[in-house]
Amino acid sequence: MSKIVLIAGSPTNGSRLFGLTQYATDHLALSGFDVDVISAAELPAEDLLRANFNSPVIQKALAAVEQADAVIIASPVYKASYSGALKTILDLVPQKGFQGKVVLPLFIGGTIAHLLAIDYALKPVVAALGGTNILGGVYAVDQWISRTEHGGFELTEELKERIDASISELTLELEREAVFRNQDIQEPVS
């Protein structure tokens, strides 16, 4: 089974972003995937800001990215780009850290006007880290996710359908990658 890591770039745990990420990880769990979650809100801030590669927590996070077949990158959009908290995590990923991985962006912002933050802010950085299989992803608007009285989140049906479609695309890409890896292993060396 493919390994998936989700990097959540929100600096706070109460962000509506976690409505997106929880829905995505629940969907993947129902499909039989285990997802490691790396949350900027849970990582030691000083280790992130000082790029402390000796931190056991940072080493564990980077090992999860290295071992993953797919990376879901989730972030709120601030000032027409992904969060600074996400940037501090991406700055720790090795130069070719996304090479050979399927990458799925999940972004949320206050207005649809920042839809292109995925294309113009995130995708160049993912490409610089060796990522070539970058899926279209999902951009959501804050109003599409409401907080429940029990502390959870409720997504609109349209948003759920869009995430479902993106997760299906991710799953299909992982299956294709697995077939290519198996073909490479089975090819005789001349």
Side-chain angles (χ1 to χ4, degrees):
M1 182 59 60
S2 298
K3 295 181 181 180
I4 300 174
V5 67
L6 185 146
I7 302 172
S10 177
T12 61
N13 281 324
S15 169
R16 283 185 171 89
L17 177 72
F18 291 103
L20 282 176
T21 60
Q22 187 62 54
Y23 185 84
T25 55
D26 289 349
H27 183 111
L28 287 163
L30 289 173
S31 299
F33 291 97
D34 285 324
V35 181
D36 286 328
V37 177
I38 300 168
S39 174
E42 301 294 324
L43 293 174
E46 187 166 337
D47 288 345
L48 279 174
L49 291 175
R50 295 185 185 276
N52 182 2
F53 289 97
N54 294 320
S55 163
V57 177
I58 298 299
Q59 289 177 352
K60 182 179 177 185
L62 293 177
V65 172
E66 181 182 347
Q67 296 166 7
D69 299 301
V71 180
I72 299 172
I73 301 176
S75 180
V77 174
Y78 303 130
K79 311 287 189 217
S81 185
Y82 53 84
S83 72
L86 175 62
K87 179 70 166 111
T88 61
I89 295 171
L90 295 178
D91 285 345
L92 297 173
V93 174
Q95 189 65 35
K96 296 296 178 187
F98 290 153
Q99 188 169 15
K101 300 179 188 321
V102 181
V103 178
L104 173 65
L106 295 178
F107 274 35
I108 186 168
T111 172
I112 199 72
H114 297 298
L115 169 70
L116 295 176
I118 292 172
D119 290 331
Y120 292 113
L122 181 69
K123 287 185 178 180
V125 173
V126 170
L129 293 172
T132 57
N133 192 352
I134 310 166
L135 305 180
V138 174
Y139 180 89
V141 176
D142 285 341
Q143 296 101 354
W144 300 347
I145 301 174
S146 57
R147 298 177 199 282
T148 65
E149 59 187 57
H150 301 295
F153 298 96
E154 182 61 38
L155 283 61
T156 64
E157 287 305 314
E158 179 184 347
L159 181 54
K160 288 178 188 178
E161 290 171 7
R162 292 178 54 222
I163 295 170
D164 291 347
S166 288
I167 296 295
S168 293
E169 182 181 15
L170 175 66
T171 302
L172 182 62
E173 287 298 314
L174 288 170
E175 290 170 359
R176 286 183 187 153
E177 294 286 330
V179 167
F180 290 134
R181 276 193 304 272
N182 288 337
Q183 286 176 346
D184 287 344
I185 291 169
Q186 295 174 3
E187 291 291 322
V189 179
S190 312

